[in-house]
Amino acid sequence: MTPDQVVAFLLENKLLEVRHVVQGALQVGEVVFRNRSFRVVTTGGPSYFVKQLMPGEYSAPPLEAALYSRFDAHPPWNRMRPFVPALTLYDAARSILVLELATPAPPAPGSNATDVDEDFPRVGEAWARALATCHGIIDPLDEAGDRDFLSAERAWALDVTRPVPDALQEMSAGQLHLLRALQAEADVDALLDRLRELWRATALIHGDMKWSNLLVQIAASGDGPPRTLLVDWEMASLGDPAWDVGAVLHAYLAHAIVSVPTEQDITPAAAAAAFEAALPAIHPEVRSFWTTYTREAGLTGRPAALFLDKCTGYCAARLLHTAYEWSQQEAEAPRRALAALQIGLNLLRQPAAGRVALLGLGDRQVT
């Protein structure tokens, strides 16, 4: 779809009025995602997020539409209603999904901001409540539950050292360099094998938790607290809740990594010092997230500690995959990718010490 076709589609389905177009009170902006996506904003009227599946894509609006439909009205899935945008329309014939529009949480981590203390969003508690609610929808003991529409594949990042042959043809030179570096580490496959063995598909998981999939919707009146929303459910599945939690921990560390200056003349020692200086700002939010999640999920004592062990491993695996992603279309692996690779390896090999130094989660915070 083009922006004009999006407007025509919304008019056809009576989601917009002609006056919004004629009076110039309409803005349509394309959002860069895997699928064709658009933000449609009106002045004094409704606003929407419109997504259309691109031919050949592996992920599809049908899964998202099925989830949003359940979140809207189907017990116990509707416990997620406060944490997701509302489904407005799904056109199966044209693979078009229309949701209410939510505004991104300001500021969105991922830029090269250097003042982490000012720029860091305080959303840990809300993020934890949303995920704990999501993970509690499916009863793992109820095999007859409503889950047949969900796949149960293991997280892709756990196979980062074992790409399929087709993926090798599309790798950049920078990605090939990182893959060779990973495969040269004799212990990495064994450590990742252990994480693969720990995988338990027991819950509905989002599958792709990162800052861009966490939004805040501001009340139209400007009064009242904002809503924290989880969006982009293309990779949702029946999976291990530790993967989502580990992905959140990864998101905090990735924010600290990208806060490091990238000038070519910065020395490795100066970059390491900048990364260490960024960590204290994320620790309170990590602790807030972890404390809230374990409380909402009913995890205490040894079960909580074992769960954190697994989350830490998945966080490390996600960092290794992030290094790979950050090297896409690069002739050489960029500095931040090499940093993510090394930090991921360190956390994979020394999870207990890494939790304390990198995430601020010592024994006192865990128990």
Side-chain angles (χ1 to χ4, degrees), residues 29-328:
E30 188 165 0
V31 184
V32 180
F33 285 123
R34 288 183 298 270
N35 299 308
R36 297 300 302 274
S37 301
F38 301 86
R39 290 167 55 90
V40 181
V41 181
T42 66
T43 301
S47 296
Y48 304 105
F49 182 81
V50 182
K51 176 190 289 188
Q52 182 180 36
L53 173 67
M54 294 295 289
E57 287 288 341
Y58 68 89
S59 53
L63 171 61
E64 287 193 284
L67 283 169
Y68 283 121
S69 177
R70 284 166 171 78
F71 293 156
D72 273 346
H74 187 73
W77 299 74
N78 58 3
R79 294 203 296 264
M80 278 297 292
R81 185 65 194 89
F83 305 111
V84 295
L87 174 65
T88 302
L89 176 70
Y90 175 56
D91 185 326
R94 287 181 277 189
S95 294
I96 299 174
L97 184 70
V98 183
L99 304 170
E100 67 169 320
L101 182 67
T103 55
S111 65
N112 286 331
T114 57
D115 194 339
V116 180
D117 285 311
E118 289 187 6
D119 289 346
F120 203 74
R122 310 300 174 184
V123 294
E125 288 189 22
W127 203 346
R129 284 193 294 272
L131 273 186
T133 301
C134 173
H135 297 161
I137 287 175
I138 294 176
D139 182 351
L141 300 180
D142 181 12
E143 294 296 335
D146 182 13
R147 64 179 77 177
D148 291 344
F149 71 102
L150 295 170
S151 68
E153 297 180 4
R154 194 174 55 208
W156 76 99
L158 295 176
D159 297 314
V160 64
T161 60
R162 302 171 181 176
V164 297
D166 288 347
L168 291 171
Q169 298 177 5
E170 300 176 359
M171 283 186 184
S172 69
Q175 288 177 318
L176 285 170
H177 169 75
L178 274 175
L179 179 60
R180 292 191 190 101
L182 264 178
Q183 291 177 336
E185 300 289 338
D187 59 339
V188 170
D189 266 331
L191 291 168
L192 289 176
D193 280 341
R194 174 59 177 157
L195 293 176
R196 297 181 190 110
E197 292 170 3
L198 289 173
W199 184 269
R200 298 291 182 272
T202 60
L204 170 67
I205 67 170
H206 180 278
D208 194 23
M209 274 285 82
K210 54 188 177 183
W211 288 114
S212 60
N213 289 337
L214 177 73
L215 300 183
V216 168
Q217 184 180 39
I218 307 300
S221 63
D223 300 327
R227 288 174 60 204
T228 299
L229 306 176
L230 306 185
V231 299
D232 196 359
W233 290 81
E234 293 182 5
M235 301 185 73
S237 67
L238 183 68
D240 196 319
W243 177 253
D244 277 347
V245 174
V248 173
L249 301 180
H250 156 272
Y252 285 107
L253 287 179
H255 178 56
I257 291 171
V258 299
S259 72
V260 176
T262 57
E263 290 81 359
Q264 289 297 320
D265 58 349
I266 187 172
T267 65
F275 174 69
E276 290 179 11
L279 292 176
I282 75 170
H283 288 172
E285 277 296 288
V286 171
R287 291 168 188 151
S288 175
F289 170 83
W290 175 254
T291 300
T292 304
Y293 181 87
T294 51
R295 182 181 67 243
E296 297 290 324
L299 285 169
T300 58
R302 182 164 175 74
L306 292 174
F307 183 72
L308 182 56
D309 284 341
K310 195 195 298 192
C311 296
T312 304
Y314 291 157
C315 172
R318 187 70 183 259
L319 281 167
L320 299 184
H321 197 271
T322 291
Y324 175 83
E325 291 177 327
W326 283 349
S327 301
Q328 188 174 10

